[in-house]
């Protein structure tokens, strides 16, 4: 499914020579890895309005946090708790569960995570998963939708503003997100492009309504309305922006800055700062080395909060199985293969 032409504003004529324009490069690209061209399918350049407009609008709305009247400590706490709660819908839900199937859980919990992910306004499950699987299939190559080896801004958020003509097509869904679209809920989300936006707006209204309703009997109507507003500004706008930039940092910073435990075929890095704010996702070189594994911690000090939470959910009976490291999977596969020989009975 591609964005309609109404979403696109043509700003660059087609390239009649058919040759690639000069490759842009990161200032430190010689040290960090070969510079790559952005995907050919993003040329000629056309702004993708369905992403650019909401991303721009929510960044502007986030500036309301600078207005003192919208400040409340409750709003700040709701924001910080929300960064982890809703952020885990992306990290645990979209990434480790849907994109990599690194653990199995109750269906109601999977749908709960996706419901929370819709409140992050990142993408539908099929779009997010397809984009991420393409990233793994073509990491830091020209086909990578968001390699920061094009340049840092492109890898972080620039790629979202430009239409990529092969990214969300029927054939890319067939190849990269067929399993996701088998779920009727995810298919329903995919059918109409306005549905994710509506869900995000509804949850924004819910934050305002609940905040106002709680504060009304305590402080009266005027104070209650300002309090409801503070929950929207901090608990929704600022939190949405923080979750966006944390997710985007995994795409950008962890392919540029940090150390490598494994000599993988791309420029992935382990970045402690991103790992800290993204509940473990910053150990990205470890993840590229073994994408199927639920844990991204390969050293004792590489804290992976998401994996710890998945293990806790397993103790609670919500998670049924967790994919272990590659070495353990190989040993288990070998044991299964040899089992009939060892125990012919
Ligand atoms: Zn990566
Ligand atoms: Zn991944």
């Amino acid at each position: 499914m591609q964005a309609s032409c109404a979403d696109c504003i043509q700003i660059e004529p087609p390239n009649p020579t058919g040759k690639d324009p000069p490759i842009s490069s990161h200032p430190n690209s010689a040290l960090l890895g070969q510079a790559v061209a952005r995907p050919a399918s993003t040329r000629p350049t056309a702004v993708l309005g369905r992403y650019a407009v909401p991303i721009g609008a929510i960044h502007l709305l986030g500036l309301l946090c600078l207005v003192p009247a919208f400040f409340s400590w409750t709003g700040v706490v709701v924001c910080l708790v929300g960064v982890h709660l809703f952020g885990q819908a992306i990290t645990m839900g979209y990434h480790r569960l849907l994109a990599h199937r690194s653990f199995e859980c109750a269906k109601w919990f999977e749908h709960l995570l996706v419901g929370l992910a819709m409140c992050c306004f990142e993408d539908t499950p099929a779009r997010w998963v397809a984009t991420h699987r393409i990233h793994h299939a073509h990491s830091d190559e020209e086909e990578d939708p968001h390699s920061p080896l094009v340049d840092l801004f492109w890898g972080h958020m620039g790629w979202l503003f430009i239409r990529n003509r092969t990214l969300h097509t029927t054939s890319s869904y067939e190849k990269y997100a067929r399993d996701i679209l088998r779920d009727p809920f995810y298919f329903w989300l995919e059918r109409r492009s306005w549905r994710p936006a509506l869900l995000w707006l509804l949850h924004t209204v819910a934050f305002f309504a609940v905040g106002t309703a709680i504060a009304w009997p305590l402080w009266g109507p005027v104070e209650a309305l300002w309090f409801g507003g503070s929950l929207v500004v901090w608990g929704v706008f600022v939190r949405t922006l923080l979750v966006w930039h944390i997710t985007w940092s995994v795409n950008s910073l962890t392919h540029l800055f940090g150390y490598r435990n494994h000599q993988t075929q791309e420029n992935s890095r382990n970045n402690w700062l991103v790992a800290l704010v993204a509940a473990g996702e910053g150990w990205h070189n470890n993840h590229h080395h073994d994408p199927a594994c639920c844990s991204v911690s390969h050293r004792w000090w590489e804290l992976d909060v998401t994996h710890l939470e998945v293990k806790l959910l397993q103790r609670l009976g919500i998670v049924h199985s967790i994919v272990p490291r590659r070495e353990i999977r190989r040993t288990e596969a070998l044991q299964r293969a040899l089992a009939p020989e060892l125990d012919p009975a």
Side-chain angles (χ1 to χ4, degrees), residues 26-44:
H26 187 272
N28 296 323
S29 57
L31 297 174
L32 299 168
Q34 290 283 321
V36 298
R38 77 183 210 211
S41 49
T42 63
R43 300 187 186 280

Side-chain angles (χ1 to χ4, degrees), residues 132 135-136 139 144 146 250-251 254-255 266 268 284 287-288:
H132 190 68
H135 166 65
H136 274 276
S139 299
D144 187 342
H146 47 63
V250 178
N251 294 338
T254 62
H255 274 260
E266 15 56 34
S268 62
H284 201 59
H287 174 57
H288 270 278

